[in-house]
Each structure stands twice: as structure tokens, then as C-alpha cells.
């Protein structure tokens, strides 16, 4: 009857017709623009069937429809609102046509139906769902809300409260919850979905189900009483705070508050107009980019996995903060690990830390006790190198001293298998400097974890000049097996993330020295979206650690990242104000009577800083503070890309998001540069470049700006 690239329409018995999503050449069904167009043709073909009595909507794949085609989004976002409107109206008309068929329709949701997939399903009169399937509206995670009628149909099919919770929350729901919410009508075993959907369709055809009344309710305004009004008010209040940088959830609630009062077609017009607006927000552009970047990282990790040697057993040298965390993460993800230290007490600490973390997982029900016991038993604490010749990879995490590391690395190289990969978790030493005493430097790679290891997703995999491809791939594979996101970077001072952080921190120090209040700087940057401002971040990193790392990195780039011999951070270290760990840094850290940690401005910090403020204090606008700090970061990111420290803007930006907690709505330093416009970045660089060389952007950025190009 109809056969397209994504949809087929075929007759069943007794006037019933099946409209089946079955995307050619793909394992899944997704709603790209072509499929939406095809849906209109498919519905028309079904409607034209002589003697038509009912339509069954199915999928020939495991999932029903996984959602819209996200790879099309950024091109779409580049269109004007009017152009987008035209596309959305066309897509909506296809679902409307399904909804308006003169016969009953039943959707058989055999597997995942997310986003647009659920919106199509809501176009039918009834929905049967497999008990293994999930449905939901994850759009807010991409800075969006449903734009194919989801905001219109979900409050009508289920309730205002369900529509708010599902759309603003973005979490997928399992079958029982979906049925309880009223989004689906019946839940059955996966193998029974189709048969039950046909039965329901026959019942509807026979008039045993009043599908006309159900449909009428979907087309009419929603009855709004006190309960619904309260649901809107509560949600708006709750969502207002996050809306500054990620407005989609609040915008959806505000949209629905108005659109539920209208009949379907008018409500859809409101949705279309609001959706076009949300597509043009910074958050939507960034979050979609992050999704695409994440896909790229996964693809790269897979390529490495093909080239990697298997890691069945690992060893960690050093059972300190990092070594303990690495051993635990390796073990919990299934790779047994030897944990070697020179101090018994440190081994005991490493084991007790692992025990504590496993205990938490058991208490929260995530891990069974016997599994936890097995994980713990797979961490083997020891003072000797016994068994080191059995491991596929050794991760060195001893103290940060080139001398000690040289000794430890050459010692372990002699005892390990010749094909074993040796990785160092150094945070500031060059990989090529560490490899000098090694006989097989090709097996040596950097593996830079972030603290705390079990929580931080990023691992910088540092390729030294002599590191072999297979050694790099093996480290990438091991990091992936630990549930981490590895990003390969070139060896150099500070590698990638700490290097980019350094000018940002120096720009902060410089602002303070010009007289800016560190408290205001923190407030401004936190409002801008950072989880913590730079002064607070220094306290968390630890003033001694930070100042040491920033100096090493600054020394590595003497032309551009100079640091004064005595700045605000040096003052802090001299005063033994090391930050959180000494309970005093820029801020002071106390415990309130209830035992909760409390941070407040230390009375004497401003006084102390006067020693580095030759011109006293003055006020700086929020704009200047963000411009200067973020420009320093963008410029360094651009230099890193130009120098090939990292291969792509995507990997660079993802590293910053994961390693530094850069606000998601920015999408990364380079994505933010795109958003500002590279010409604007050049203007800022011209303005502030006179103050310090780290504000100066590289030639490549200027050239791109001149040509009107972007990073993405
Ligand atoms: P730590 O001081 O907590 O632990 C170092 C451990 O190494 C100690 O237990 C010590 O006894 C042990 N050790 C010393 N000599 C040894 C030897 N010869 N053989 C085996 N063990 C030995 O230090 P940490 O914070 O865990 O840092 C370890 C490494 O990780 C350093 O290179 C550091 O730069 C790097 N790093 C640290 C962080 C961080 O935030 N702490 C982040 C990333 C990377």
C-alpha cells in the first residue's frame, strides 16, 4: 500500500491497516525530517484504504522510536524562527492527520519511545506498552522541550501534573509508572504487545471502547481547577532558579499554562512558536553540541578499543588519595588490581577507603554484599612487587617528584612483562621527562585522573613523543573499562585541562591585584554558572598544590603565561592559608553546631591582599570580570587547539566540561567563543591584550574570525 524509507503501510484483516516504522538500513527508528514527511504520506495512504476500519501503529525494530534525529538539530537551529515554524507546522500536520483519521488508532509501543517517539504515540487513540519498554520526554536535557505536540497532548491524555513532571523532569518512565500516569492504557509482556494492540483496535472498531470520546478530550481545552493552577504555580517557582542558563523547563511550563486553555490547533501553534524560540537559546545549542561531542568521544574510544591490548589485571603504585581511588575504580569495574605502597599505613588507608565506598553502594542497594566482598578481595594491597609480572598495565601514582618517579618507574619496568603498559598519573611533570630512564619508552603513557577518582569522569591520556599507538589505545581502553571518558592529549606543561585553567586563575589573581574584590568575583562567576568562583576553587584545590602547578605551567610558556614572583596565592601560602585543608584560605571553613560545613569570608583576607594591591581597591563590573576570566580561558583553549594538544574542538570542550565543571550551557570554551562570535573574541583580546599576554588569542582564531568561520 505504501513503502517509504522509514514507514510501511500494509493491510491486516477486516479493514485494519498497519502503519509500521521500519527504517531502512538502521537498527533503530528515529524521527528525522524526512520521516516526518513520510508519516504524512503514510497516514494519507492508510486513510485512502477502501473499507478502512482501524489503524495499528507499530515498529519493526526493538525500540518503537528512539526520538528525533539530533544530528539534524544544529542545522535547524541556524534557521530563522519563521523558517523553523514552517517545518514544525508540517511535522505537526502529519501527527494531526494520524490523530484525525476517521477510524480508531492504537499504538503498540514494543520498546523505547522517547521524545518525538512518544509524541507520535500520543497521536493515537490508545497505547499498549511492553513491560520492558520506557517512555518519556528527555528534551530538557538538550535544552529543549517537546515540539511535536508533546506539550499539547500529554496534559490532555494524562494530566497537567504528569505533563509538568515528565516534560520539566526529562526522566524516562518505566511501563508501570507510565500506565499509572495515564500516558499508556495497558502494559503487557513484550511478545504480547502486538496481539493486545490488535484486540484493543478490534474492540474500538466494535464500539466497545469509546475512542471518539477519548479523542474529543484530546482536541479540547483542559479543564483547569485549583489543583492544576497550583501545579503550574509550584512548578514555575521551583524552576525559576535554573532557568537563567537553562530556560527550557520553565518555558515549557509557562507555555502549557497558556496552551491548555486552548483547543488543540491553537495550542499547537503556541507550542510551535515557543519551540522555535527555545531552539535559538544558548543552552539548546550547547547541550545539543555536547550530545554530538559525546557521540564523537564514544566513537573514538571504540576505535582505540580495537587497537588496544586487553587489560585483565592491573597494578597501582602508591595507595594515596589518587592510587587508592584508581585501585577501587578498577576493581569495582571488574579489573583486579595489585595496590603497592611503601607504607603499611597507606595500604590500610587505601583499603579502608575502598571498603567505605563499597559499603555506601551496598547500603544504597546498588551492589549486593557478596559482590562488594568480591570487589574488595580483588584489590590486593602489598608492600612488594610480587605478581607485578602478571599485570597488563601499571599505573604509577606515587608522590609528585620526578626523582622518586624515575626510580619507581625504572624499578617496575625491570619487573613487569615486556609488553606491559606503564602509565603515570602525574599532574604536572612531562611524560617525555619521566620516560628518560626507561628502556621501553614506547610502552609509557600518561594517565591523568582527576580527584576524586571515583566521581570525576575525565581521564587525560597523554601521548609522549615515544609512546606507541598500541600503548595509548590500551590506556584509553583501560580508562573506558573503568567507566571514565578518556581524551588523548599531547605531552606538554599542564597537558590540557590544567593548562587552560592556569591563565583563568592568573586573570583572577590579576583582577584582585588591580583592586577587585575576590568575593564579588566569586559571586559573578557563580552567577555566570560556575559551580564555584575562582577564589573558592583555589581553596578547594589547595593553595600549595595550585600555586605549584600554575607556576610549572607558566614557566612552560614564558612568552605568554608569566606569573609574578609574589602574587595573591604566594601570600596565602606564606600565611599557611592553604584553603579548605587548613580551614583557612580566601575563606574560612568551620563546622556549624549541627555539624554542617560552613564557609564564610575570613575577616583578614581583604587586609592581607592589600600587600599585592598597589593601587588600592576599586569596583569592577560583572561584565568585565566575566569577559576577562573567560577570555583568558578561550585564548588558551585556542592555543591548545592550534598547537595540536588535542585533536578536535569537541574533545577540548568536553575535557573542560568534565575536568573543570565548566557550565553546561556554555558547551565548552570554544563553543562559548562561537556563541560570542569570534570577531567579538578578537575585540576583547585587543582590549585586554595590553594587560597581560595570556589575553592574546592565536593567529588561527583571528584568521577564522576574519573569514566569518567558527569552531563548530
Ligand atoms: P599521596 O601523597 O596521597 O600518595 C602518594 C602515595 O605514594 C603515598 O601513599 C606514598 O606512601 C606512596 N609512595 C611513595 N613512594 C612510593 C614508592 N616508591 N612506591 C610505592 N608507593 C610510594 O599523593 P596523591 O595525591 O595520591 O598523588 C599521587 C600522584 O597523583 C602524584 O603524581 C600527583 O601529582 C598525582 N595527582 C594528584 C591529584 C590530586 O588531586 N591529589 C590529581 C591528579 C594527579
Amino acid at each position: 500500500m505504501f513503502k517509504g524509507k522509514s514507514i510501511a503501510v500494509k493491510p491486516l484483516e477486516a479493514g485494519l491497516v498497519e502503519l509500521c516504522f521500519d527504517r531502512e538500513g538502521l537498527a533503530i527508528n528515529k524521527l528525522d525530517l524526512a520521516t516526518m514527511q513520510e508519516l504524512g504520506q503514510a497516514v494519507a495512504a492508510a486513510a485512502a484504504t477502501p473499507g478502512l476500519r482501524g489503524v495499528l501503529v507499530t515498529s519493526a525494530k526493538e525500540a518503537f522510536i528512539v526520538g528525533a534525529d539530533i544530528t539534524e538539530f544544529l542545522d535547524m537551529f541556524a534557521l530563522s524562527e519563521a523558517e523553523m515554524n514552517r517545518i514544525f507546522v508540517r511535522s505537526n500536520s502529519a501527527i494531526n492527520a494520524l490523530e484525525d483519521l476517521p477510524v480508531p488508532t492504537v499504538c503498540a509501543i514494543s520498546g523505547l519511545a522517547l521524545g518525538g517517539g512518544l509524541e507520535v504515540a500520543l497521536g493515537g487513540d490508545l497505547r499498549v506498552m511492553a513491560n520492558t519498554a520506557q517512555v518519556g520526554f528527555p528534551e530538557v536535557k538538550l535544552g529543549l522541550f517537546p515540539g511535536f505536540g508533546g506539550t499539547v497532548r500529554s496534559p490532555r491524555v494524562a494530566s497537567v501534573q504528569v505533563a509538568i513532571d515528565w516534560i520539566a523532569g526529562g526522566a524516562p518512565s518505566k511501563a508501570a509508572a507510565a500506565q499509572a500516569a495515564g500516558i499508556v492504557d495497558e502494559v503487557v509482556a513484550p511478545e504480547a504487545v502486538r496481539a493486545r494492540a490488535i484486540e484493543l483496535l478490534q474492540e474500538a472498531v466494535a464500539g466497545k471502547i469509546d475512542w471518539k470520546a477519548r479523542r474529543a478530550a484530546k482536541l479540547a481545552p483542559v479543564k483547569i481547577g485549583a489543583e492544576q493552577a497550583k501545579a503550574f504555580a509550584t512548578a514555575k517557582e521551583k524552576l525559576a532558579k535554573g532557568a537563567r542558563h537553562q530556560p527550557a523547563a520553565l518555558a515549557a511550563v509557562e507555555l502549557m499554562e497558556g496552551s491548555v486553555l486552548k483547543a488543540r490547533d491553537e495550542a499547537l501553534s503556541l507550542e510551535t512558536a515557543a519551540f522555535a524560540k527555545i531552539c535559538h537559546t544558548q543552552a539548546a545549542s550547547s547541550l545539543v553540541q555536547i550530545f554530538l561531542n559525546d557521540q564523537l568521544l564514544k566513537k573514538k574510544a571504540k576505535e582505540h578499543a580495537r587497537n588496544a591490548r586487553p587489560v585483565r589485571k592491573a597494578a597501582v603504585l602508591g595507595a594515596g588519595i589518587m592510587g587508592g581511588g584508581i585501585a577501587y575504580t578498577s576493581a569495582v569495574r571488574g579489573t583486579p588490581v595489585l595496590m603497592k605502597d611503601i607504607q603499611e599505613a597507606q595500604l590500610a588507608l587505601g583499603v579502608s577507603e575502598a571498603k567505605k565506598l563499597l559499603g555506601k553502594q551496598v547500603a544504597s542497594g546498588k551492589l549486593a554484599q557478596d559482590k562488594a566482598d568480591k570487589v574488595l578481595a580483588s584489590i590486593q594491597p602489598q608492600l612488594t612487587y610480587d605478581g607485578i609480572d602478571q599485570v597488563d598495565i601499571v599505573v604509577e601514582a606515587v608522590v609528585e617528584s620526578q626523582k622518586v618517579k624515575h626510580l619507581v618507574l625504572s624499578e617496575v619496568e625491570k619487573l613487569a612483562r615486556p609488553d606491559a603498559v606503564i602509565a603515570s598519573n602525574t599532574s604536572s611533570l612531562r611524560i617525555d621527562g619521566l620516560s628518560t630512564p626507561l628502556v621501553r619508552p614506547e610502552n609509557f603513557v600518561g594517565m591523568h585522573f582527576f580527584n576524586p577518582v571515583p566521581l570525576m569522569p575525565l581521564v587525560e591520556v597523554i601521548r609522549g613523543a615515544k609512546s606507541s599507538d598500541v600503548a595509548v589505545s590500551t590506556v584509553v581502553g583501560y580508562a573506558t573499562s573503568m567507566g571514565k571518558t578518556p581524551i588523548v592529549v599531547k605531552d606538554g606543561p599542564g597537558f590540557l585541562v590544567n593548562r587552560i585553567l592556569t591563565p583563568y586563575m592568573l586573570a583572577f589573581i590579576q583582577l584582585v591585584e588591580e583592586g577587585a574584590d575576590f568575593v564579588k568575583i566569586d559571586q559573578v562567576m557563580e552567577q555566570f554558572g560556575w559551580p564555584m568562583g575562582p577564589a573558592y576553587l583555589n581553596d578547594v584545590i589547595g593553595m600549595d598544590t595550585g600555586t605549584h602547578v600554575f607556576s610549572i605551567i607558566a614557566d612552560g610558556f614564558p612568552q605568554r603565561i608569566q606569573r609574578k614572583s609574589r602574587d595573591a596565592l604566594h601570600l596565602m601560602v606564606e600565611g599557611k592559608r592553604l584553603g579548605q585543608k587548613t580551614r583557612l584560605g580566601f575563606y574560612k571553613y568551620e563546622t556549624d553546631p549541627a555539624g554542617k560545613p560552613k564557609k564564610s569570608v575570613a575577616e583578614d583576607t581583604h587586609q592581607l591582599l592589600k600587600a599585592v594591591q598597589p593601587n588600592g581597591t576599586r569596583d569592577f563590573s560583572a561584565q568585565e570580570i566575566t569577559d576577562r576570566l573567560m577570555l583568558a580561558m578561550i585564548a588558551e583553549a585556542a592555543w591548545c587547539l592550534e598547537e595540536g594538544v588535542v585533536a578536535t574542538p569537541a574533545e577540548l570542550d568536553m575535557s573542560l566540561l568534565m575536568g573543570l565543571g565548566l557550565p553546561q550551557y556554555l558547551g565548552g570554551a570554544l563553543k562559548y567563543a562561537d556563541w560570542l562570535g569570534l570577531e567579538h573574541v578578537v575585540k576583547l583580546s585587543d582590549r585586554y591584550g595590553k594587560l597581560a599576554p595570556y589575553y592574546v588569542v592565536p593567529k588561527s582564531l583571528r584568521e577564522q574570525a576574519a573569514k566569518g568561520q567558527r569552531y563548530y
Side-chain angles (χ1 to χ4, degrees), residues 385-396:
Y385 281 115
D386 281 359
I388 200 85
D389 56 344
Q390 304 293 314
V391 306
D392 305 294
I393 191 165
V394 178
V395 184
E396 171 277 309

Side-chain angles (χ1 to χ4, degrees), residues 320-322 341 343 346 397-398 400 405 408 425 427 449 451:
I321 302 176
M322 300 304 287
D341 206 289
Q343 300 181 63
Q346 287 294 95
V398 306
E400 186 75 347
K405 285 190 193 287
V408 170
N425 180 44
S427 46
F449 288 87
N451 187 16

Side-chain angles (χ1 to χ4, degrees), residues 316-324 326 340-347 349 382-383 385 396-401 404-405 407-408 411 424-429 447-453 498 541 545 549:
V316 176
L317 309 181
I321 302 176
M322 300 304 287
I326 297 165
K340 192 227 175 229
D341 206 289
I342 48 171
Q343 300 181 63
E344 189 74 57
Q346 287 294 95
L347 289 175
L349 201 68
Q382 56 191 49
L383 293 168
Y385 281 115
E396 171 277 309
V398 306
V399 283
E400 186 75 347
S401 142
V404 176
K405 285 190 193 287
L407 280 173
V408 170
E411 204 169 68
S424 173
N425 180 44
T426 179
S427 46
S428 61
L429 300 167
M447 190 177 193
H448 184 214
F449 288 87
F450 290 72
N451 187 16
V453 178
N498 286 342
I541 293 173
T545 309
V549 172

